[in-house]
Amino acid sequence: MYDVCIIGAGVVGAAIARELAKFKLKICLLEKSEDVANGTTKANSGIVHGGYADKPGSVKAKFSGAGNRMFPKLEAELHFGFRQIGSLLLAFSDAEVQEIHKIYANGQKNNISGLEIVDSAFLRKNEPNLNLEAKAALLCKVAGVTSPYEFGIALAENAILNGVELKLSCEVIAIKKELDHFLVTTKLNDLPNHDHIKAQRVINAAGLFSDDVARMLGIKNFTINPKQGQYLLFDKDQGGLVNRVIFQVPTPNSKGVLVTPTYHGNLLVGPDATSAPEKEYLDTADQNLKFVTEMAKKSVPNFEMRKVITSFAGNRATPSTGDFIVEESEVKGFINVAGIESPGLTAAPAIAVAVCEIMRESGMTLLPNEKFNPERKPYKTIANMSAEELEELIKKEPAYGRVVCRCETVSEGEILDALQRSIPINSLDAIKRRTRAGMGRCQSGFCTPKIMEIICNATSVSMDKITKKGSGSKLLMGRSKKALQ
Ligand SMILES: Cc1cc2nc3c(=O)[nH]c(=O)nc-3n(C[C@H](O)[C@H](O)[C@H](O)COP(=O)(O)OP(=O)(O)OC[C@H]3O[C@@H](n4cnc5c(N)ncnc54)[C@H](O)[C@@H]3O)c2cc1C
């Protein structure tokens, strides 16, 4: 019997798992995908928002500013990648200047620090590549950029270190309320048999599928409508075009498109917002990317289109209620953490703290776990090391001297480190999200065979079982000589 069963290991479920691990509880974290942080958490803007834009009094406003304030400490403990570079919300007309003053006042109501209206002279001096027609901007000094999937992975790794049991490829297909506990039925990917988990409390952090999970207990007071956003990612030599996150003032027709350096120094432009035909539909389309490009050029006219290295899409879990849902549901002991669209990445750590409070209010005894260790071991990233540091490391661990991904300078040592950590992985994308091998301009064209060989040698996974991104994405179909016979 678990005290708590968390459904969904995105950034929200992982943050809740880590926060609850601060107490003496038996916790399991169930994830249907083959890796954590593999849903919306892996494909978004990666912005730690200031929290100035959310409607005062809303659940979003309650958690976004509070979440933002937690990031510096979380980064010091977990080393997932966060830089507080600040953001600028650009105004191009007098009407938009008025609008940013209103948004500034909104930010004051939300108790957001570090807000300032800056003029065009400031913009020219500090952001020389912006469109010169920008008249003013709302500067938010506390906004930043993070690596969203690395944040989710770091939270999950630390939760596991502190006793949380992670079950991957484990889809919840039914939930039943028994007299004094829940019976959660799960299905392991590709296997016909079912398993059952008993838990005192269930937390629904299933992202885009949180309405489907709630329906398993007959809870029908919200639906999730997937809203897609598409992006273009540019090579690192474009990342320096702007120093801060550049937003546009929302209009009735568009929320605007952002231009930002990513945590790792690429340039990211996007997203748009269109209704997605299915919850996991992630195709990009020419017309959307054209729209994103044109909108972004309004802020930063001179990025080079031939420097695009990839495009991608993410789907927001937009709730029918218009706000985050963080509450014990009508079924006692079943807590919905649903509809966590943007700025859910920012809000996740604060939501996790609130969930602990909800558990306490629902009658659960929360005794401190004195053994809780907030620290997670950082990766030894050779791309960031001095020649002397690297030489020292290679003397001790020669695998760090064998570069596998030439675009991002990732060594065999880093890949082995990823493979030896607490979350079992065997896909190229899982390696990519942890080490950046395959993330560069060749998009894994060169390093794929080498990474497969390393996975194969370091784990019990045979070459033909290695996938690009889990079930249904096999890389090798069989021996080519055999196929020719
Ligand atoms: C285009 C876009 C841009 C965004 N930009 C930002 C931003 O810049 N800043 C910001 O703060 N936020 C941003 N967000 C929002 C942020 O990405 C999300 O709020 C956050 O990732 C949500 O995390 P989650 O854990 O709720 O969902 P997810 O990451 O989707 O995790 C839910 C998990 O539940 C699992 N699951 C589902 N059903 C089941 C089941 N039956 N059994 C087991 N597991 C299940 C899924 O596989 C998934 O891994 C953006 C979102 C989008 C789409």
Side-chain angles (χ1 to χ4, degrees):
M1 173 80 85
Y2 289 93
D3 294 308
V4 189
C5 166
I6 304 166
I7 305 171
V11 70
V12 171
I16 294 170
R18 178 180 188 257
E19 203 58 41
L20 283 171
K22 293 179 180 170
F23 303 99
K24 283 183 185 150
L25 296 170
K26 189 168 157 60
I27 304 163
C28 66
L29 176 60
L30 312 183
E31 170 52 54
K32 71 173 180 168
S33 166
E34 86 293 349
D35 194 8
V36 303
N38 209 5
T40 302
T41 297
K42 79 170 174 210
N44 53 64
S45 310
I47 309 302
V48 177
H49 285 278
Y52 56 76
D54 306 301
K55 191 171 157 210
S58 65
V59 186
K60 277 187 189 175
K62 180 173 166 193
F63 295 128
S64 54
N68 172 297
R69 290 188 282 278
M70 293 170 76
F71 268 78
K73 181 160 181 265
L74 284 165
E75 167 64 5
E77 291 171 345
L78 300 173
H79 315 284
F80 50 86
F82 167 61
R83 280 191 291 134
Q84 204 153 35
I85 59 174
S87 68
L88 286 165
L89 176 66
L90 302 185
F92 288 98
S93 63
D94 292 341
E96 286 189 353
V97 173
Q98 275 183 20
E99 194 56 33
I100 60 170
H101 276 92
K102 279 190 205 152
I103 298 172
Y104 172 88
N106 198 74
Q108 298 295 321
K109 283 189 195 145
N110 287 347
N111 288 324
I112 306 304
S113 62
L115 292 178
E116 196 181 320
I117 304 280
V118 295
D119 60 11
S120 58
F122 176 97
L123 297 177
R124 277 181 203 157
K125 183 165 168 235
N126 292 285
E127 295 287 354
N129 293 308
L130 290 187
N131 182 348
L132 291 175
E133 285 173 22
K135 288 182 162 222
L138 173 61
L139 170 68
C140 174
K141 292 180 192 154
V142 297
V145 287
T146 187
S147 171
Y149 36 87
E150 287 175 83
F151 182 37
I153 292 165
L155 288 163
E157 278 186 11
N158 188 247
I160 295 167
L161 175 76
N162 288 296
V164 171
E165 291 174 39
L166 171 70
K167 294 178 194 288
L168 292 173
S169 302
C170 178
E171 180 177 0
V172 172
I173 54 166
I175 311 171
K176 206 168 152 216
K177 173 96 192 193
E178 305 280 359
L179 213 54
D180 64 344
H181 66 270
F182 291 90
L183 190 68
V184 179
T185 308
T186 62
K187 176 176 147 324
L188 282 185
N189 265 2
D190 304 331
L191 293 177
N193 45 326
H194 296 167
D195 204 355
H196 298 287
I197 284 168
K198 286 182 184 173
Q200 298 283 345
R201 302 282 191 284
V202 174
I203 297 172
N204 173 13
L208 287 157
F209 296 88
S210 50
D211 55 348
D212 301 315
V213 168
R215 292 291 177 287
M216 293 176 192
L217 280 167
I219 300 162
K220 295 187 182 149
N221 58 347
F222 68 94
T223 52
I224 298 294
N225 308 306
K227 204 185 270 179
Q228 196 183 63
Q230 300 191 14
Y231 294 91
L232 286 169
L233 185 73
F234 290 74
D235 206 346
K236 283 186 172 167
D237 62 4
Q238 301 291 291
L241 279 176
V242 286
N243 302 311
R244 295 168 184 75
V245 184
I246 309 298
F247 293 114
Q248 299 169 343
V249 171
T251 66
N253 300 325
S254 165
K255 284 199 148 182
V257 157
L258 65 81
V259 180
T260 184
T262 64
Y263 171 75
H264 288 287
N266 296 81
L267 187 80
L268 182 69
V269 310
D272 59 347
T274 55
S275 191
E278 284 165 36
K279 288 183 174 180
E280 287 180 329
Y281 183 85
L282 290 174
D283 289 3
T284 56
D286 279 354
Q287 70 203 51
N288 300 63
L289 297 175
K290 201 163 165 244
F291 168 81
V292 160
T293 307
E294 278 164 13
M295 289 287 287
K297 291 234 171 215
K298 188 179 168 196
S299 299
V300 183
N302 293 324
F303 51 80
E304 282 183 63
M305 288 311 289
R306 65 191 181 91
K307 296 293 176 77
V308 171
I309 58 176
T310 191
S311 64
F312 65 91
N315 288 340
R316 305 165 181 89
T318 305
S320 52
T321 58
D323 201 355
F324 288 172
I325 301 159
V326 182
E327 62 191 21
E328 184 167 29
S329 73
E330 67 209 49
V331 179
K332 199 165 163 30
F334 183 82
I335 291 139
N336 278 319
V337 188
I340 312 298
E341 54 178 347
S342 195
L345 182 66
T346 310
I351 291 175
V353 173
V355 168
C356 294
E357 208 39 53
I358 294 172
M359 304 291 272
R360 195 176 273 126
E361 281 163 11
S362 83
M364 179 154 258
T365 309
L366 298 184
L367 298 173
N369 171 9
E370 287 93 7
K371 291 195 197 129
F372 179 80
N373 176 358
E375 304 275 336
R376 173 222 186 208
K377 191 173 75 150
Y379 274 91
K380 294 173 196 145
T381 309
I382 67 161
N384 300 340
M385 284 182 190
S386 67
E388 296 74 37
E389 282 171 329
L390 186 55
E391 206 181 318
E392 268 311 294
L393 178 62
I394 294 170
K395 267 190 219 152
K396 283 188 239 142
E397 296 177 73
Y400 283 92
R402 295 192 281 275
V403 171
V404 176
C405 168
R406 288 180 277 172
C407 302
E408 293 289 308
T409 322
V410 181
S411 67
E412 185 177 332
E414 286 146 281
I415 296 169
L416 289 172
D417 184 358
L419 289 166
Q420 283 153 8
R421 289 190 176 224
S422 52
I423 303 174
I425 49 169
N426 59 25
S427 73
L428 287 188
D429 281 4
I431 295 282
K432 179 162 87 171
R433 285 191 291 272
R434 286 157 174 83
T435 66
R436 295 191 60 73
M439 202 63 101
R441 66 174 68 99
C442 94
Q443 289 284 293
S444 76
F446 282 101
C447 55
T448 292
K450 186 68 196 159
I451 296 172
M452 291 175 73
E453 202 182 303
I454 296 170
I455 297 177
C456 194
N457 291 339
T459 66
S460 56
V461 178
S462 62
M463 202 63 131
D464 60 333
K465 295 280 183 309
I466 299 170
T467 63
K468 163 88 173 98
K469 50 180 181 177
S471 181
S473 62
K474 268 179 82 160
L475 289 155
L476 300 180
M477 307 314 286
R479 293 200 167 266
S480 49
K481 279 191 183 150
K482 220 171 182 180
L484 290 172
Q485 278 163 15

